[in-house]
Amino acid sequence: MLIQFVRGLLIFAAGLSTSFGMETPHNILVLGGTGRLGAEIVASLTTAGHPVTVFARPNSDRSRLKDLSVNYIVGDLLDGSGVLAELNGEKFDYVIDASARGPSNDPFYSDVMKNILTALQVREVQQFILHGSIGAGNSADVFTAAMYKRMRKVMQAKTEAENLLIQSGIPYTIIRNGVIKLDGTAATGTAVLTEDATKMGTVTRPDLATLTMQCLGVENCLNKTFHALDASWESDPGY
């Protein structure tokens, strides 16, 4: 059943070609750009010729980006005044948030979103792409009660981050993932997006980067929340 469902989604993926100006380079800010997913996205963006700025902590490991031509803004996303100061005078056409944190009960995701939106509030951002998690917002029922209980604090923070972005007035795209394959797993090229919040699946980081590029500057993706799926992993025991 999932194979048939995902095949149907390929029609949707093919329809993500209605862009509004990505033929020319655009200044793009990437949060979490030194991380495993963020680095894949940054590589895709630079390959496409876009000027990329990565917001990174002073002690961030930049090794994943060592061969890429990127600019850096150094700061701490949890320091609201610092984020505001570091972004003062900067203008970005697009913002991609791939920031992540290990298991924690603090409101990292919502705090980061508050800080970055405050810094961007007077800027003309054409699209803000947020990489979130299945289990946030209207997808909480995808998890069993026991699973959700273990992740409740994180999902609450991610839900608040989504809501803050939606309410900001900035055109947004939220891409939620479920299970991500181990670092280094090659792309399949068959990952797709669905607006069905009851679906959960497995996906690779390179494929998530590809889905990001497919939605960058695309009208059909604006002000929508998607789940990333890949039929290649439908029998994956991780979900």
Side-chain angles (χ1 to χ4, degrees):
M1 292 296 293
L2 182 58
I3 290 178
Q4 293 175 342
F5 172 74
V6 172
R7 282 175 179 163
L9 290 178
L10 292 176
I11 297 174
F12 171 81
L16 299 183
S17 59
T18 309
S19 77
F20 50 86
M22 295 309 292
E23 295 83 2
T24 57
H26 288 76
N27 291 322
I28 300 175
L29 174 65
V30 180
L31 313 177
T34 61
R36 290 174 293 178
L37 173 57
E40 294 282 357
I41 294 171
V42 171
S44 296
L45 290 169
T46 57
T47 298
H50 298 293
V52 177
T53 298
V54 173
F55 197 111
R57 297 188 308 277
N59 60 345
S60 288
D61 179 0
R62 303 182 185 182
S63 60
R64 295 185 181 93
L65 306 179
K66 65 180 180 179
D67 297 323
L68 303 178
S69 177
V70 300
N71 299 314
Y72 288 95
I73 292 178
V74 179
D76 185 343
L77 288 172
L78 289 173
D79 177 6
S81 60
V83 173
L84 188 60
E86 294 294 342
L87 291 182
N88 185 35
E90 299 283 350
K91 183 183 184 302
F92 299 101
D93 303 309
Y94 298 87
V95 176
I96 300 173
D97 186 353
S99 59
R101 191 171 189 174
S104 175
N105 286 328
D106 64 42
F108 170 82
Y109 296 97
S110 53
D111 285 350
V112 166
M113 184 59 72
K114 288 175 186 176
N115 293 340
I116 196 67
L117 288 177
T118 297
L120 292 171
Q121 64 183 353
V122 297
R123 311 186 197 290
E124 296 182 358
V125 177
Q126 297 181 43
Q127 184 183 23
F128 191 127
I129 298 179
L130 171 64
H131 279 275
S133 296
I134 295 175
N138 64 345
S139 66
D141 290 343
V142 173
F143 290 153
T144 64
M147 289 172 61
Y148 188 82
K149 183 178 180 180
R150 290 195 301 271
M151 306 178 70
R152 182 170 58 87
K153 292 289 187 181
V154 172
M155 290 306 167
Q156 286 176 341
K158 291 194 172 191
T159 297
E160 184 177 354
E162 288 187 2
N163 290 337
L164 288 167
L165 177 57
I166 292 169
Q167 295 162 10
S168 71
I170 297 174
Y172 69 88
T173 302
I174 297 170
I175 299 176
R176 296 174 180 156
N177 63 71
V179 178
I180 299 183
K181 296 296 289 183
L182 292 176
D183 197 21
T185 305
T188 66
T190 57
V192 293
L193 298 174
T194 175
E195 293 184 72
D196 187 343
T198 69
K199 300 299 180 182
M200 181 171 178
T202 302
V203 68
T204 70
R205 290 181 178 86
D207 284 315
L208 280 172
T210 297
L211 293 174
T212 303
M213 296 299 292
Q214 288 177 351
C215 265
L216 185 66
V218 173
E219 288 186 278
N220 290 347
C221 287
L222 290 184
N223 302 323
K224 293 181 179 179
T225 299
F226 299 105
H227 286 197
L229 303 175
D230 192 337
S232 299
W233 311 108
E234 73 164 313
S235 60
D236 192 303
Y239 71 92

